[in-house]
Amino acid sequence: MLMRGLLLLFVIGSSFATFANEHEEGEEEKFNAAEYAVHHALDAHEFHFTDDIVIPLPVILWTDKGIVTFMSSAFQHDDKGEFVVEKDGMKFVKFHEKIYLLEDGADALVLNEEHHVENASEVLLDFSLTKNVVTMFLVMFLMLLVFLKSAKFYKRETQIAPRGIAGWTEPIILFIKELASDNIEGDKYKKFLPYLLTVFFFILFGNLLGLLPILSNPNMTGSISITLMLAMFTFVIQMMSTKKTYWLHIFDPLGDSMSWGAKIPLYIILLPIEVLGIFIKPAALMIRLFANITAGHIIVVSLIAIIFVNQSAWWSGLSVPMTLFISGLELLVAFLQAYIFTMLSALFIGSAVESAHE
Amino acid sequence: MDIITPAVGQIFWGSLVFLILMFLLAKFAWKPILGAVNEREKTISESLELAEKTKAEMLTLQAENESLLKEARAERDLMIKDAKETASKMVADAKGIAKEEGNKMLATARESINAEKAAAITELKLQVAAFSIEIAETIVKGELSSETKQKALADKLAEDINLN
């Protein structure tokens, strides 16, 4: 708890510095808490600790003229599309954490009245190592560290109760194993266990890293791209292992309980729902994780923003305890969402591999 | 809205990282860990089974011991009973033989006593007879010392004979 408190103090301190600077630059511009909070939940091209401590990340763009790479520091921390980077005869600007390619002949980004980009196109194939990607590498590194070290324990001792790091990981691994065998019938769960274990710990580690203000709260598992990717994995694995029973449940959900004469009019309504359900399930999986984690991030940032909206440090008396409370809650959510994602994945896979019974 | 727009870069790197991670962990972490856990589970259940079996075996062994002990005890009792019987029988036998022998000896003694007694009586009779003859001789001598006396006697005898 002490560590968390210190970390919170750190993020509040760093936020103070950020806003202090912003106010010096543009006095008339009013602080927009909502925009700031949403911006904070977005992916970024740099690790922004304070305005003085920024880790630039590599930008890798796949354009019509080949791959373009440069460090994000080339934009001079500009995110309003004001600073133009020229590379290989192309002009790039960064606007709201996205990189735009200026049209031929344009020298600066022009925005229309609705604040939309007018004379540039978004670089669609942006393979930059962004904050989320680097966090993902960190997650991979941490997971390999933790689990390869755990595995080492079992090479030495197999018959004794787990100790050290294995004592921490084994109960959770067994918990996921139990979860898988509860939802996937028979011995079939063993085939899917590596995926379920990996996805659980990937989400858990990502969620927990996202709670660290010292890493400027990377919102990796709250990124729709990452949750889309994970939900796709579950969906692909589910579809690849479907058995006849699964499709029977979709296309003949009522089975032998009714005659075909009664079933056909019902199926006109039921079948589209069932077919849509195939896709809605992974979509719900994607949205649930994304929304839960992003909401947590936005709430934390919003609560801290109370201080800046009111422009008085005294508001921290309200803001800090509430942030602390929400952070504690987010710690719970970190475990809960990893569990729910894994459990539902197991459930969906279980429904796909189910063999005929009754 | 930027926040709900998937980014190609993140999906690409995410899939790459996730697949590599899953491959590495499956091979070097999940497999050995789950293998060891299964192994341990198997060992524990086997040990429990063995313990249960041993317990049952112990119980049967104990029951067997009990019955064996019971048998031994019964046999011992029987043996003691036999011995007692034999001993008492031997004593009784001995007593019988001794009694018989005693009786025999007693009978022999009685016989010899009787024989001695008979001999003594005979001797006594002979003696008495001798004495009687002597006495009678003396008496007869006295009776027959005179004529009258001889005559009286002859009369008396003759009377006796007549009477008879």
Side-chain angles (χ1 to χ4, degrees):
Chain A
M1 271 330 271
L2 186 68
M3 273 308 286
R4 287 196 61 76
L6 287 174
L7 291 174
L8 273 169
L9 279 178
F10 183 85
V11 78
I12 290 163
S14 62
S15 306
F16 264 123
T18 312
F19 290 114
N21 284 350
E22 273 176 13
H23 275 279
E24 276 164 27
E25 283 160 14
E27 212 70 58
E28 73 281 356
E29 198 183 318
K30 199 154 177 7
F31 173 62
N32 187 338
E35 198 178 286
Y36 180 73
V38 171
H39 186 261
H40 192 92
L42 282 176
D43 195 12
H45 280 279
E46 58 196 16
F47 272 101
H48 187 192
F49 299 106
T50 74
D51 275 2
D52 298 322
I53 309 168
V54 175
I55 300 176
L57 296 169
V59 174
I60 304 164
L61 303 171
W62 190 321
T63 65
D64 298 337
K65 292 174 188 166
I67 293 171
V68 181
T69 57
F70 53 92
M71 290 304 281
S72 68
S73 52
F75 286 115
Q76 308 286 327
H77 314 316
D78 164 54
D79 195 38
K80 298 191 179 82
E82 284 161 357
F83 198 89
V84 180
V85 173
E86 263 200 77
K87 195 98 185 176
D88 297 342
M90 288 174 286
K91 287 170 181 163
F92 299 102
V93 290
K94 189 155 79 80
F95 179 65
H96 283 185
E97 290 304 344
K98 276 198 178 132
I99 293 169
Y100 290 87
L101 175 63
L102 289 182
E103 283 167 5
D104 289 342
D107 282 329
L109 190 69
V110 178
L111 300 175
N112 63 16
E113 280 154 17
E114 277 140 22
H115 220 67
H116 285 309
V117 177
E118 199 129 83
N119 63 340
S121 57
E122 199 186 318
V123 179
L124 281 175
L125 295 173
D126 178 356
F127 293 107
S128 306
L129 299 181
T130 57
K131 195 164 107 176
N132 282 350
V133 174
V134 172
T135 309
M136 219 142 49
F137 288 148
L138 194 63
V139 165
M140 176 164 86
F141 172 73
L142 281 175
M143 279 176 76
L144 287 175
L145 196 77
V146 167
F147 293 107
L148 293 187
K149 199 155 185 285
S150 306
K152 229 183 198 171
F153 171 83
Y154 296 94
K155 274 183 195 128
R156 278 181 283 122
E157 311 270 4
T158 54
Q159 303 303 347
I160 66 162
R163 258 194 260 120
I165 199 153
W168 180 79
T169 54
E170 196 193 295
I172 310 179
I173 293 172
L174 289 182
F175 175 67
I176 301 300
K177 187 186 162 207
E178 203 86 336
L179 190 74
S181 63
D182 280 351
N183 287 300
I184 305 171
E185 63 172 20
D187 263 1
K188 290 174 193 161
Y189 77 92
K190 283 182 178 156
K191 209 169 84 190
F192 303 104
L193 205 46
Y195 169 69
L196 294 172
L197 282 167
T198 312
V199 87
F200 176 82
F201 285 108
F202 186 78
I203 295 172
L204 179 64
F205 277 52
N207 287 350
L208 290 177
L209 281 186
L211 291 176
L212 292 179
I214 196 140
L215 284 175
S216 67
N217 296 71
N219 192 20
M220 182 198 107
T221 42
S223 155
I224 194 113
S225 318
I226 301 302
T227 62
L228 173 73
M229 180 271 287
L230 293 173
M232 274 303 262
F233 270 109
T234 296
F235 183 63
V236 167
I237 289 172
Q238 185 196 6
M239 284 301 118
M240 268 164 47
S241 45
T242 48
K243 295 263 150 51
K244 193 184 150 201
T245 321
Y246 174 79
W247 296 111
L248 265 179
H249 276 305
I250 301 278
F251 292 111
D252 189 12
L254 294 171
D256 297 330
S257 62
M258 267 187 211
S259 67
W260 277 103
K263 277 200 284 187
I264 285 168
L266 273 175
Y267 280 180
I268 294 170
I269 311 162
L270 261 182
L271 280 189
I273 295 173
E274 289 285 349
V275 172
L276 271 179
I278 301 174
F279 303 100
I280 288 171
K281 278 172 187 165
L285 213 55
M286 164 183 86
I287 293 167
R288 184 179 299 107
L289 182 59
F290 155 75
N292 270 284
I293 305 305
T294 300
H297 278 251
I298 289 177
I299 290 171
V300 168
V301 176
S302 304
L303 285 174
I304 289 171
I306 291 175
I307 303 166
F308 305 101
V309 169
N310 292 293
Q311 308 221 343
S312 160
W314 292 108
W315 279 95
S316 56
L318 174 71
S319 168
V320 170
M322 280 169 78
T323 309
L324 199 63
F325 170 70
I326 293 295
S327 291
L329 203 67
E330 283 305 302
L331 201 61
L332 180 76
V333 169
F335 281 92
L336 190 70
Q337 288 307 318
Y339 164 72
I340 290 176
F341 194 100
T342 314
M343 196 262 279
L344 287 176
S345 292
L347 192 73
F348 296 162
I349 294 169
S351 75
V353 297
E354 205 178 5
S355 50
H357 53 78
E358 282 154 48
Chain B
M1 280 289 276
D2 287 343
I3 203 159
I4 52 164
T5 316
V8 179
Q10 282 186 67
I11 295 173
F12 167 75
W13 288 112
S15 309
L16 194 70
V17 165
F18 191 82
L19 282 174
I20 292 171
L21 191 61
M22 189 159 73
F23 172 76
L24 286 178
L25 286 179
K27 201 165 158 67
F28 298 112
W30 308 139
K31 210 174 147 196
I33 291 175
L34 290 170
V37 166
N38 283 341
E39 192 73 21
R40 194 197 305 144
E41 246 167 47
K42 225 170 85 187
T43 313
I44 289 172
S45 65
E46 270 173 6
S47 303
L48 282 176
E49 215 171 284
L50 190 72
E52 201 67 30
K53 230 165 86 185
T54 314
K55 205 174 147 191
E57 251 170 49
M58 282 286 286
L59 273 178
T60 46
L61 216 71
Q62 217 169 4
E64 248 170 56
N65 273 351
E66 200 96 338
S67 70
L68 218 68
L69 213 67
K70 225 176 178 174
E71 253 171 56
R73 221 173 263 147
E75 205 167 327
R76 189 196 63 181
D77 285 349
L78 202 75
M79 269 164 78
I80 288 174
K81 207 177 141 203
D82 266 3
K84 254 185 197 158
E85 258 169 37
T86 316
S88 57
K89 201 179 155 208
M90 261 165 80
V91 169
D93 280 358
K95 261 183 190 165
I97 290 169
K99 212 174 173 181
E100 215 171 285
E101 202 75 19
N103 284 347
K104 230 186 242 169
M105 271 164 80
L106 229 65
T108 325
R110 212 170 270 146
E111 247 169 57
S112 62
I113 286 169
N114 281 345
E116 293 285 327
K117 203 173 143 189
I121 287 172
T122 317
E123 185 92 358
L124 206 60
K125 270 182 184 163
L126 283 176
Q127 212 81 35
V128 169
F131 282 143
S132 310
I133 292 169
E134 248 171 73
I135 292 165
E137 214 176 44
T138 324
I139 294 167
V140 169
K141 269 175 188 166
E143 289 282 318
L144 297 177
S145 46
S146 60
E147 226 50 45
T148 51
K149 274 185 186 177
Q150 279 176 358
K151 207 190 165 202
L153 185 59
D155 287 346
K156 200 190 170 193
L157 284 172
E159 200 177 322
D160 277 351
I161 290 161
N162 284 346
L163 276 173
N164 283 344

